Amino acid sequence: MSDALLPLLIAIPLLAAVFPLLLGLRFDSAGWPVAMATSLLVAALAVRFTWAVSPASSGPQRLVHDLAGYPAPYGIELVGDGLSAILVLLISVVAVAVLIYARTTGPDSNAFYSGFLLLTGGLLGMALTGDLFNLFVFLEIVGLVSYALIASSDDGRAAYGALKYLFLGTTGASLYLIGVGYAFVATGTLNMRDMASELAALGYGDPLVQAAFGFILVGFMLKIAIFPLHTWQPDAYTYAPDTVSAFISALVSTTAAYALIRIAYDVFTVDFFAANPLITDAVLLVASVSIVVGSLLALLQTELKRIFAYSSVAQFGMILAAIGLQSETALFGAVIHLVGHGLMKATLFMGAGVLSSAYGAQTVADYAGLAKRAPITSGMMAVAGLALVGIPPSVGTLGKWFIALGAVEAGSWGVAAVIFISTLLTLTYIGRLLEALYFTQPATDDDTGVAGDTGDATDDGSIVADGGADSSTAAGLDDVVPVATERVVVVVVLALSTVALFGAAGLFAELLDPVFGRFFQ
């Protein structure tokens, strides 16, 4: 039956995480094949699940599975609908892309791939659970594995970033659990659907209910990295291995933001916001500050990975603003922006990893003239960067447009203005990157014989930087490190997907209409 897809999507990567370690006792490189086979299977199940809940399938648009046959509210319930299907697809696609990227230069440790599968399973569990405490369990799995993967770099600063993330991430999870505890005391249930009914009967003005939402909100603000609770994110993203940076930047905060949307609208509902205007105003204020400050902090950075990290603070501020606006239009934009942000950040961090591996580029100044040496990767980073700004045609345009439109429809002109200001600031720091890539000459560059985009390999078939000609020979650069072609291909595919999704608003609407019909009934 279709509902069996829900436990399979979670159980397969969690159980498969054991095999890289077991097979590693006999085979040194067992981790990557196991992780790739598992991720491909999960991706196939994700496509099947999405079809099952889509209106085109003529089937139920909401799947429910009671674990071990115990019905809710006594047992744990897994729930799948159009909203969760979008996130499950994003997780599965990014997981496969990151593994392809990691094949030649990723970590050799089998333990790394066990952690990768555990993280994938935890993210899928967060997307599909219908139980608040079960969500906490998956939130902890995601957090603990993320700390370990970030610290897996040889750079000692990665351990510092992971330790900071550990302290703040644990604090966020603890605050969330306190909020769930308050909600349980008030309602006597942990099932999301059952709790929504109990909260409505109890009254949204009850101090216990308000406290529960407040703790849950602050806990997720730490996990999502909303200003001023964002301080773990820059170091974690910057010093983690490139493969890990791409994976967690695309999915970890994204899934936490999805969980906040699910709880805010499926459990507390729009009636809670209507009954508590001060809480609504506080959410919009914090979100607006995060949007502006995150953009300003990104503008002040020189190291590229830190620019992208601070950019996420601003982008997730827009998601939080959409939650507080109580607008179907804005929430539609928030979901699109979640998907777009995941794909854009995966592209940008992978592209940065390619250029860092090949040329040692870390700061914006290091990118001077690299578009001549690495035209494909540079071009795809430019595409993803412009999508982040919101330049059409891109998925970034759709997300920002609908959030801003929802703000205008709700009469929140201040939020719309903040989004416009952030877009200008984003254009500024992405413009600096494009200027360095295309219009700045490197200090030691020899312009004669610079390699262009002439092919996929050298004449002898060796792997090359950017999938083009052997730029180390052509440019006279002895310190250029070759990069496997598939890493560049992944960057190209993800970058082009941010453009292709510009035309997918109708598909998003088909999947989300039944869900939003429940949220805004």
Side-chain angles (χ1 to χ4, degrees):
M1 293 183 65
S2 296
D3 65 296
L5 291 169
L6 304 179
L8 285 175
L9 281 164
I10 301 170
I12 287 174
L14 292 180
L15 294 176
V18 177
F19 290 99
L21 295 177
L22 289 179
L23 295 175
L25 298 175
R26 184 175 179 86
F27 305 102
D28 292 336
S29 301
W32 189 88
V34 171
M36 177 54 78
T38 304
S39 297
L40 288 173
L41 177 57
V42 168
L45 292 175
V47 172
R48 178 68 183 86
F49 164 55
T50 304
W51 171 255
V53 298
S54 68
S57 69
S58 301
Q61 295 170 8
R62 189 170 189 266
L63 303 180
V64 178
H65 181 87
D66 297 321
L67 289 180
Y70 292 101
Y74 309 105
I76 295 174
E77 190 176 66
L78 300 178
V79 179
D81 55 21
L83 177 58
S84 55
I86 289 172
L87 194 72
V88 167
L89 267 180
L90 176 67
I91 293 169
S92 61
V93 167
V94 173
V96 171
V98 168
L99 284 173
I100 295 173
Y101 181 86
R103 187 185 72 85
T104 54
T105 56
D108 295 328
S109 169
N110 289 321
F112 171 84
Y113 292 105
S114 288
F116 182 92
L117 291 173
L118 282 174
L119 181 54
T120 302
L123 292 168
L124 290 168
M126 288 179 64
L128 295 172
T129 185
D131 183 276
L132 288 174
F133 185 78
N134 193 230
L135 176 59
F136 168 75
V137 173
F138 287 122
L139 192 66
E140 281 296 272
I141 292 174
V142 169
L144 291 172
V145 178
S146 295
Y147 311 146
L149 292 180
I150 290 168
S152 65
S153 172
D154 295 333
D155 190 342
R157 295 173 297 179
Y160 168 74
L163 187 62
K164 184 189 289 188
Y165 188 12
L166 170 65
F167 288 149
L168 294 177
T170 302
T171 301
S174 300
L175 291 172
Y176 167 78
L177 186 60
I178 291 171
V180 171
Y182 277 132
F184 178 73
V185 169
T187 64
T189 182
L190 292 169
N191 179 268
M192 292 184 184
R193 285 194 299 173
D194 197 44
M195 184 177 287
S197 300
E198 294 294 332
L199 288 174
L202 181 64
Y204 298 113
D206 188 288
L208 203 56
V209 176
Q210 294 171 334
F213 181 81
F215 277 107
I216 290 172
L217 174 65
V218 176
F220 273 120
M221 284 172 59
L222 265 163
K223 288 291 188 178
I224 297 169
I226 298 294
F227 179 87
L229 306 176
H230 67 288
T231 53
W232 62 267
Q233 192 175 72
D235 288 334
Y237 284 12
T238 302
Y239 302 128
D242 293 331
T243 301
V244 176
S245 293
F247 197 51
I248 65 173
S249 67
L251 296 179
V252 171
S253 291
T254 298
T255 309
Y258 156 85
L260 181 57
I261 292 174
R262 177 70 72 182
I263 292 172
Y265 283 91
D266 232 358
V267 179
F268 286 87
T269 74
V270 291
D271 294 331
F272 173 84
F273 291 102
N276 295 277
L278 288 179
I279 293 178
T280 302
D281 292 342
V283 170
L284 292 176
L285 176 61
V286 171
S288 298
V289 172
S290 187
I291 293 170
V292 174
V293 175
S295 300
L296 287 172
L297 290 173
L299 187 61
L300 296 174
Q301 307 306 307
T302 58
E303 194 168 357
L304 202 65
K305 290 176 76 173
R306 294 187 80 85
I307 291 175
F308 297 151
Y310 280 112
S311 168
S312 293
V313 176
Q315 304 304 316
F316 282 109
M318 295 182 194
I319 307 299
L320 183 61
I323 294 173
L325 286 169
Q326 311 162 59
S327 163
E328 185 172 347
T329 302
L331 196 63
F332 179 67
V335 175
I336 294 177
H337 204 52
L338 279 179
V339 175
H341 179 268
L343 294 173
M344 290 183 286
K345 285 301 166 66
T347 303
L348 290 169
F349 275 98
M350 288 184 190
V354 169
L355 297 183
S356 175
S357 298
Y359 302 102
Q362 302 289 336
T363 67
V364 175
D366 294 336
Y367 278 68
L370 283 188
K372 294 180 180 178
R373 304 174 191 168
I376 301 175
T377 302
S378 298
M380 295 304 102
M381 289 186 70
V383 168
L386 293 174
L388 189 66
V389 176
I391 303 297
S394 70
V395 68
T397 308
L398 288 181
K400 288 187 177 183
W401 169 257
F402 283 112
I403 295 174
L405 181 60
V408 172
E409 291 176 351
S412 297
W413 289 92
V415 173
V418 162
I419 293 173
F420 177 73
I421 293 169
S422 173
T423 299
L424 294 180
L425 293 173
T426 305
L427 178 61
T428 303
Y429 60 75
I430 293 298
R432 285 169 49 206
L433 172 62
L434 299 182
E435 180 184 17
L437 283 170
Y438 289 96
F439 304 107
T440 304
Q441 293 295 324
T444 58
D445 187 31
D446 180 6
D447 289 334
T448 60
V450 175
D453 187 4
T454 59
D456 292 330
T458 54
D459 292 338
D460 61 358
S462 61
I463 55 176
V464 296
D466 202 38
D470 189 344
S471 52
S472 61
T473 302
L477 300 170
D478 296 330
D479 57 344
V480 174
V481 178
V483 174
T485 303
E486 61 261 33
R487 297 182 73 191
V488 180
V489 171
V490 169
V491 173
V492 171
V493 172
L494 289 177
L496 294 180
S497 72
T498 66
V499 177
L501 285 177
F502 180 73
L507 297 177
F508 280 104
E510 285 186 15
L511 285 170
L512 292 173
D513 277 347
V515 182
F516 285 2
R518 188 173 70 251
F519 285 176
F520 296 96
Q521 61 185 358

